[in-house]
Structure formats: C-alpha cells, structure tokens
Amino acid sequence: MYTESELVALARALPARVMLVESDEAVAPSRRDEAQLMFVTQGRADLIVDDDEETVLEAEGVFLVNSGSMFEILPRPAVQMVVLRLDLRRLIENSDDTVFRINSAPSGGAIAVRPLAHLLARIVKLNSSDGEQNRFKTASLIYALLDELTRRHSAMTGEVSAATQKHRERLRALLRYIDDHYAESLTLAKVAQHEHLSGPYLSAFFKEHVGTTFSSYYNALRLERAVDDLVTSDESVESIARRNGFRDPRAFVKLFKERFDVLPSQYRRSEREDRAHRQPRSTVVDHAADTPLGVLAAYLPPGEVPSDDMAVDTVPLTRIVALSAIDASAKGTPLRHTYRRVTTVGRAKELLYEDVRAMLSEWQRDVGFEFVKFHGLFGDDMHVYREDDLGNPVYSFLLVDKVIDYLLSIGLRPFVELSFMPQGLASVPDRTVYSSPFNVSPPRQLERWVDLVNAFLAHVVERYSLDEVASWMFSVWNEPDTGPTLFGFEDDAEFHAFYKATFDTVRRFGKNIRFGSPAMLVTYAQNKDWLQAFLDFADANGCRPDFLTIHFYDNDFAWESLPEHKPGAPSSTRLNRDQDTFHKTLKQLDLLLNDRGLHIPVYMTEWNLTVSHRDLLNDTTFKSCYLAKNLLENYDALESFGYWALTDFMEELQPSADMFHGGLGLLTYNGVKKPHYYFFKSLSRAGERLLASGEGYFICAGTRGLQLYLYNYEHFGHLFASGQRYDMTYLERYAPFSEVGRMDFSVEFTSLPAGRYRLREEIINSEHGSAFDTWIRMGAPAIDAMTVDYIRQVSVPQLVVEDIEISDSGPLTVSAVLEPLEVRVIELVPLG
C-alpha cells in the first residue's frame, strides 16, 4: 500500500512541503511540478526516473527527482522516505532549465549529500512545533538548501536523460498543457489535436516516454488536485469533482475509492481538519534512536554540518511577566486545596508490599490526603472469592483487612472501587487486562456478584463500624466507557443493570454511604454519548450517583475512530497538540452537567499526561511543569485531582529493571523522588486565599505568609505529539522543547506589614530536583545501590534563603528568572 502524509506543517506561504511517504508495493509512474528531495529513513527504494537506469537507495540514501520528471517505485520491500517538495518556479528564475543531479547511491555519494540531509533535518526539527518565526527561519533553511543545490549539484541538461532533446521538449510541452487544462475533461483526442499529432501516435508516445497510459496519468493528476481541495476547502464532493475535470461525480468517487480505499467524505473527515493529527504509519517504539525518523535526526548535531555557512542559529526569546500593585492583605479567593483529597496506588495487592507502604507513608506525611484510590479489591490476587466443590461461594477478606487497616493507620480512607471480576465469577474467563491480569468481563450470575458486594459491606461495617464506612467513598468498575476492547461490557445495557444492582446493594446499608458513578475516561475531543446514556439510565431508574468519578489522560484518543487507525493498535504514543486540553475538558464537562441541571461533585481519581508506562517524558522536569500548569490553572475546579500514580512499582506491565524507563509514578520503583513529587510537596504549603493567577504564576497567602508558584511551561512539538520521537533519544529527552526560552517574572506587593521576613526560594529544574538529570550528569552509569543512594541525596530542589527587612517606605518587588521547564516556589515568611 502506498501512503503519504504531511510530516510537519510548513506555512502555506512557503514554496515547500515535507511529506512522509511509505510504500510496500510498486508505485506507478507519476510526475510532479515540484522538485522532490528524497531521504530514505527505512527499507530500500528502487527508483526509475525518466527512463534512466534503476537506482537503489538504502537507508540514509538521498535522491532528487527534478520537476517535470517521471519517476516510479519498483515492487521491492517496504520503504519509508521523508520527501521535501520544492516549487522551484517560486524560488528561482527559468526553473524549467534548472536541473540537479543528486544520487547518493554511487560510491562516495553519501558524503556529498550530507549537507542536504542536515538542512532537511533542520527543517523538520524547526517545524515540529508552532512558532511565529518558524516561517522565516524555514525560508532561510530552504534558501540555504537551494544554495547548496545550485553550487554543488547543478547538472547540464544533456546529462539527465538519454531521450532526445526533441522528445524531451515535446514531452514538456505535452505535460504542461495537461497541467494547465486538466480541469477541462480532457481526452486523448483533444490533447492530440492541440499538439498536432494523431491519436495513435500520441498514445504510443505517452506510453513510451511517460511509462503509463494517458488515462492513468490524467486520472492520477486529477485525483491529486482533488485531494488538495478536499482538505483545504469546504466545497461539496460534487463541486470538487467537477472543478477537477470529472463531469460525472460518481466516476470521481469510484476512482477515489479504488485509489485510497475510502470515500472522499471519509478522507476529508480524517485529514482536513488537522493535518498534523494524522498518525504516520511508521512503527513507533520506546527508544527514539531506533525509530525510522531517528535516522534523519542523526544529522542534527553540529558535528554533522560540513560548513559553517549552512548553520542557521536561533535564539529563544525571554518571556516577560510583570505584575504590579498586588495587595498582600486582600481578601482574595478562598482556596479549598481539593488536590489533596485523593491520592492513588495501582492496585490493592501493591498495598501489601513493604516498599509501596514506605513510599505511601512518606507521601502522606509530606502532603497529607483524605482518600486513596486503587484497583482490584476483588482481584484474584486478593483471594476474596472462590467456590467450593458444590459451587457455593467462599469469601475471604483477610488481605482486604490488611490493606484497609494499614491505610487507616496512616490517616487515609479507602476510595473503594468495587472491581474487578473474580475469575470464579467471570462470564468470559479469558477477558483480562494487564500483565498481572484482572478479569473485566461481566459476572456469569449477577446474583453471585450482588452476594459478594453484600458480604463485603457487611464485613467492613462489622469490623470498622457503620460510621467509619459511611466516611469512605464507593464506586463500581473502571472505565466501562472504553468498550469491550478494554474495560467495558459488550452490551451497555448489561453494564447499566450491573451498576444498578451494585448501587442498590450498597444503599441497603444506609443512604449516608456515598456511592458514585463508575470511573469514566473523559477527554475533550471524544463525544460524551456513553456518559449521557449512563446519566439518563440512572435518572430513569432511581440510581443517580452521589458524585461523578472521572479520569483524564492527555493522549490523543480521538484518532482511534479515524479510518487509518488499526483496531487494537496502541495509542499511548500520541498526545494532544493543544496544551489546554485539560482545561477545555473540565469546562466542557461543567457545561454538560449544567445543561442537564445536574449539580453533583466531580472527583478525578486518575490523571496523568499519558497512559503509557514507557513515555520518557515521565521522568523529566517537563512533568513537574506540566502538572503545575494544569493544576494551578484549574485549581479547585473539581473535588479531587488524583494523580495516577504513586510509584513506578506497578503491576500493569511486567516491571522494568530500568530505573528511568518512563513510568507513571511520582517515585521510581526503588523510591527515588521525581521532580513532580517535589512540586506537590511544595504545594502543600499553599495558603488559604488566592491573590492572583495567570499564565506562569499562582500567588496565594495565608497564616504562613505569601507563596508564589511559578512555572515556565512549554508544550512539546507537534511532531512529538503525533507519536514520532525524531531526535529524542533515551538519554536526550528534552529534544521536543528546543525552542523554550526563559521566563522573566516580577511582582510588586503592597500592604505588607513592616518587619523582618525570610524570603525562601525552592527551585525545581534540570539542575535541581531531577533524579534523571542527575543520573545523566553522572554519565548515565549502571544502576547499583551506591548510585541510587547518591541520586537520592543529590536530586533535591535548590533552596535559596535571604532575610530581609520591610519598612513603611514602599512596596516590595520580588523577581525571578526561570529556566525552561522550571518550577519555582517563592515564600515570604514573617519572622517575628
């Protein structure tokens, strides 16, 4: 199958496009007006251009197809190429007479084309994220590339083809006429008449020199132009068909379906709205150096640039944030600190491990939460349910008691998720998730499930008292809205009945026991049909939940519904391009509930950047900055923000022996704190009233003085968001943020009582508080006990302390310059 997609989106004013081309089949001869610089990233390309001899390009091979040339790809093993298409007519005069000879296949050719590969890599890198200056920087790179082509790779016209000059001129005139009049429903006879040729001669000439029939070439040209119209205009399919030379729109639809295997309307839906949203069909793996695009990214280092004149330097700008006249004595907005309501651990069984208990106990001491949420209370690893030889249920809550006893001993109450299905109760024994499996099928007998829930409630009420149990929170199941490929039931009606039976069972122990909705995955780009249907059912059947339970991950799940998505393919590599998706999701949910007149608390009990346990960003300072931005910009908007999860020591996947494998936790598997742990710990000192907040800052006050939470956030680039890791490697994890500049912050406080104060700054950045970056500075050594101990001691935030005197003479100005992806906490504490 042949596919091509725009790898990065260049400004439309630029005379260039960067495409990702993939094929595992022969590609019929075709011709384009643009020159095409091809770089093979994977596989092998066998090309024939203008009837010349076959050219074989291996990975890192570079070839240029001149504008107007015919080229084809022979049926060989699969190939992936990055292709830069240049409209030379907009770049140089007399472009028809401009011919370049570039082919790295001959001996020694690879060295000669290295500058071109470098410039192509720079163009891709620069446009992997938005930026106002990208257009002009990209233009400079394009002209640098054109200069390299002109100085070193120009060719005499006679060198490029064995065809006679007469035939070449005739072919050029013929193809230009077709290009200029393609929308006029051309026929072979009409073109022959214009060129003063007979029909049979033109047909034979076309077949010989173009390599395909007139009708095949003409249909491919019309389809190509129609595709551009589909994704860049709002015209109807019928209008686009007629405008591109198809008198009968049905013929256009038929040809389109044969070529792209989807209808034009489906193609438009999947590609028009946001070209960068498309998933390149390459294989994406965890270590970026192994990805196909990593071959091109290897040309980015300065050492790969053969000459200084091709370097295009960029200087990140400093963002200035200046606030004046912030009244330190103002009443402000009361803060509830709802992020401290719920914390999370992977599964109930993990709370039996001493390592996890030690981490959770320290976390509770450092921040202090009310509830802890986890999966699998009824999982088989908790040994809650079995059936005897006669088929009678046998319950055991011994391990459950050990978990709950421990939680209560450290001041945490369980946020009870009644899940998952004991294997002995499961209707589908092999429907499991995770490496250490949970069964996620419905019960084979709903009555047996009800009996289990009833036995559990009776047990905990007897052991801990009804008053204590009434202070807990209850829900049933995890993400049933994700469908039967994950946690959902095959039939939503079956789940609704399951929910109501559980609701009724819990309610029998008292109406004061809080029972919420199942945990639902809520994201901005997905429809809310499942949620709406669930709420409709609950209202109609007298089982409205006391609160909603939601999850949020910043993955781009919406693409799974697109035609190019392969069912079952992992989506954890794709992230949202929009840096404000978290905020938009919460606002969207709030509007939905208001429209229904439903005013109940909303608890977020899982929240993370990604569902992936192997995303390399999870260990970096980006994560602390990401959490600071999203939590502080939406502070107290929900009843909880349960970060998922405490530690990388989780049994959803086979545990990794790699300390910095990109796990989801606040701590590594061996208990070393990551940067975002320190952010949450510092946030526990926030005051009771909000004085000011905005992009990059959150200023509050309380009995312990003033607290300023600052963050210099930059979103990852679009290329990274699409799942392509490009120049990111296991050791170089900040490549998606190469354009980040500093943030220069200053604030003027008024109405501060005179006296002595301590000005304290806590700094979390790549130099301070980042275990991963400490390990990199050590030389990325093998992990042993001494290394872990050193990292644990050294990787703490920087603390800067200054005692100052404030008089009645004027206001106090506090300023700071934040490094990229830095979080800084500034506290002004009275000393007397």
Side-chain angles (χ1 to χ4, degrees), residues 342-353 356-357 359-360 363 371-376 406-407 412 605-606 643-647 649-650 652:
V342 175
T343 189
T344 68
V345 174
R347 59 172 67 198
K349 177 195 172 186
E350 292 160 13
L351 288 166
L352 298 173
Y353 296 144
V356 175
R357 287 189 173 192
M359 293 184 224
L360 182 59
W363 177 233
F371 298 94
V372 58
K373 175 261 176 77
F374 46 87
H375 292 315
Y406 161 68
L407 295 177
L412 280 170
T605 59
E606 283 190 27
Y643 176 82
W644 185 262
L646 174 68
T647 170
F649 190 176
M650 296 176 68
E652 292 186 0

Side-chain angles (χ1 to χ4, degrees), residues 324-330 691 706 747-753 810-813:
S324 61
I326 300 295
D327 186 351
S329 65
L691 300 181
L706 293 172
V747 57
E748 178 188 73
F749 288 108
T750 62
S751 303
L752 280 166
L812 172 70
T813 298

Side-chain angles (χ1 to χ4, degrees), residues 106-365:
S107 177
I111 295 176
V113 300
R114 185 173 294 174
L116 298 174
H118 166 76
L119 288 164
L120 178 59
R122 292 290 301 274
I123 290 170
V124 173
K125 173 67 175 177
L126 180 60
N127 291 277
S128 65
S129 60
D130 282 335
E132 293 182 3
Q133 296 181 334
N134 284 1
R135 171 183 169 184
F136 303 106
K137 294 176 183 176
T138 303
S140 69
L141 288 170
I142 290 173
Y143 278 104
L145 187 144
L146 188 62
D147 177 67
E148 177 71 10
L149 289 174
T150 304
R151 287 191 295 111
R152 304 191 188 188
H153 301 283
S154 292
M156 297 299 294
T157 303
E159 294 180 60
V160 298
S161 175
T164 65
Q165 185 65 20
K166 176 181 176 181
H167 284 165
R168 186 169 183 82
E169 290 176 358
R170 171 171 286 171
L171 179 62
R172 180 182 298 172
L174 173 66
L175 296 180
R176 174 152 294 178
Y177 175 78
I178 296 173
D179 282 357
D180 292 342
H181 299 273
Y182 76 95
E184 300 174 9
S185 299
L186 296 177
T187 62
L188 179 68
K190 185 175 181 179
V191 175
Q193 182 181 9
H194 179 270
E195 295 295 315
H196 307 291
L197 301 171
S198 69
Y201 176 83
L202 177 60
S203 178
F205 179 88
F206 212 93
K207 181 69 174 175
E208 178 181 356
H209 293 284
V210 179
T212 187
T213 64
F214 167 81
S215 60
S216 295
Y217 175 84
Y218 182 44
N219 284 336
L221 175 65
R222 290 188 294 176
L223 282 176
E224 176 187 315
R225 303 295 169 85
V227 165
D228 286 341
D229 290 342
L230 274 173
V231 298
T232 59
S233 77
D234 293 322
E235 292 184 79
S236 67
V237 172
E238 291 77 10
S239 297
I240 289 173
R242 291 191 173 93
R243 188 149 63 80
N244 287 281
F246 293 94
R247 290 179 178 174
D248 183 0
R250 291 173 297 182
F252 166 67
V253 172
K254 182 174 183 294
L255 278 171
F256 196 98
K257 183 72 163 61
E258 290 174 355
R259 174 67 179 82
F260 296 101
D261 201 32
V262 293
L263 296 173
S265 57
Q266 295 171 321
Y267 188 96
R268 165 180 274 171
R269 276 199 305 272
S270 66
E271 305 216 10
R272 184 195 63 176
E273 294 180 357
D274 191 348
R275 291 189 176 198
H277 243 186
R278 289 176 295 178
Q279 169 73 354
R281 293 173 173 83
S282 59
T283 301
V284 180
V285 296
D286 293 320
H287 288 192
D290 298 330
T291 65
L293 283 184
V295 175
L296 178 59
Y299 287 86
L300 283 171
E304 294 287 348
V305 188
S307 58
D308 293 336
D309 58 359
M310 285 174 290
V312 181
D313 294 327
T314 60
V315 180
L317 299 176
T318 297
R319 183 164 61 94
I320 298 176
V321 180
L323 308 177
S324 61
I326 300 295
D327 186 351
S329 65
K331 183 178 180 180
T333 303
L335 296 175
R336 299 183 295 138
H337 306 305
T338 58
Y339 83 93
R340 296 173 62 183
R341 196 152 288 159
V342 175
T343 189
T344 68
V345 174
R347 59 172 67 198
K349 177 195 172 186
E350 292 160 13
L351 288 166
L352 298 173
Y353 296 144
E354 190 58 39
D355 287 356
V356 175
R357 287 189 173 192
M359 293 184 224
L360 182 59
S361 296
E362 183 177 17
W363 177 233
Q364 178 67 352
R365 289 192 301 271

Side-chain angles (χ1 to χ4, degrees), residues 421-436:
M421 195 57 59
Q423 197 74 8
L425 260 181
S427 57
V428 185
D430 60 351
R431 260 216 64 193
T432 61
V433 295
Y434 300 142
S435 174
S436 179

Side-chain angles (χ1 to χ4, degrees), residues 605-805:
T605 59
E606 283 190 27
W607 168 40
N608 210 309
L609 167 71
T610 171
V611 297
S612 172
H613 295 260
R614 300 292 187 270
D615 192 312
L616 301 182
L617 287 185
N618 284 332
D619 298 322
T620 68
T621 58
F622 167 76
K623 195 64 171 293
S624 52
C625 208
Y626 169 84
L627 294 176
K629 166 192 163 55
N630 286 292
L631 183 56
L632 297 178
E633 290 181 4
N634 300 277
Y635 208 76
D636 287 348
L638 301 175
E639 293 303 308
S640 73
F641 294 85
Y643 176 82
W644 185 262
L646 174 68
T647 170
D648 291 347
F649 190 176
M650 296 176 68
E651 297 183 349
E652 292 186 0
L653 292 182
Q654 183 183 39
S656 173
D658 182 354
M659 181 172 169
F660 298 109
H661 61 266
L664 296 174
L666 292 153
L667 301 102
T668 64
Y669 71 82
N670 46 13
V672 174
K673 300 177 179 70
K674 299 184 187 181
H676 36 302
Y677 183 104
Y678 291 114
F679 162 67
F680 278 119
K681 182 179 178 181
S682 71
L683 196 56
S684 66
R685 303 193 298 271
E688 296 80 36
R689 49 195 170 92
L690 176 65
L691 300 181
S693 64
E695 184 179 353
Y697 63 93
F698 185 88
I699 304 173
C700 53
T703 56
R704 290 180 289 186
L706 293 172
Q707 299 85 34
L708 291 75
Y709 293 90
L710 310 177
Y711 53 94
N712 184 14
Y713 181 80
E714 182 76 12
H715 208 50
F716 36 74
H718 301 334
L719 186 61
F720 179 86
S722 74
Q724 290 285 3
R725 295 306 177 244
Y726 193 44
D727 55 333
M728 182 182 185
T729 67
Y730 185 78
L731 299 181
E732 177 45 73
R733 302 190 185 187
Y734 293 99
F737 311 102
S738 59
E739 295 300 314
V740 180
R742 292 180 172 182
M743 183 178 84
D744 189 333
F745 176 87
S746 64
V747 57
E748 178 188 73
F749 288 108
T750 62
S751 303
L752 280 166
R756 294 182 65 248
Y757 290 81
R758 176 155 291 174
L759 188 65
R760 188 165 54 210
E761 295 187 52
E762 188 175 20
I763 301 168
I764 305 169
N765 58 24
S766 59
E767 295 290 327
H768 308 285
S770 174
F772 166 75
D773 289 290
T774 298
W775 178 67
I776 292 294
R777 286 192 295 274
M778 294 172 65
I783 298 298
D784 57 24
M786 184 177 294
T787 300
V788 172
D789 187 56
Y790 176 82
I791 292 173
R792 193 191 311 275
Q793 294 183 55
V794 171
S795 304
V796 295
Q798 183 182 22
L799 188 63
V800 180
V801 179
E802 178 185 5
D803 290 345
I804 62 175
E805 187 83 26

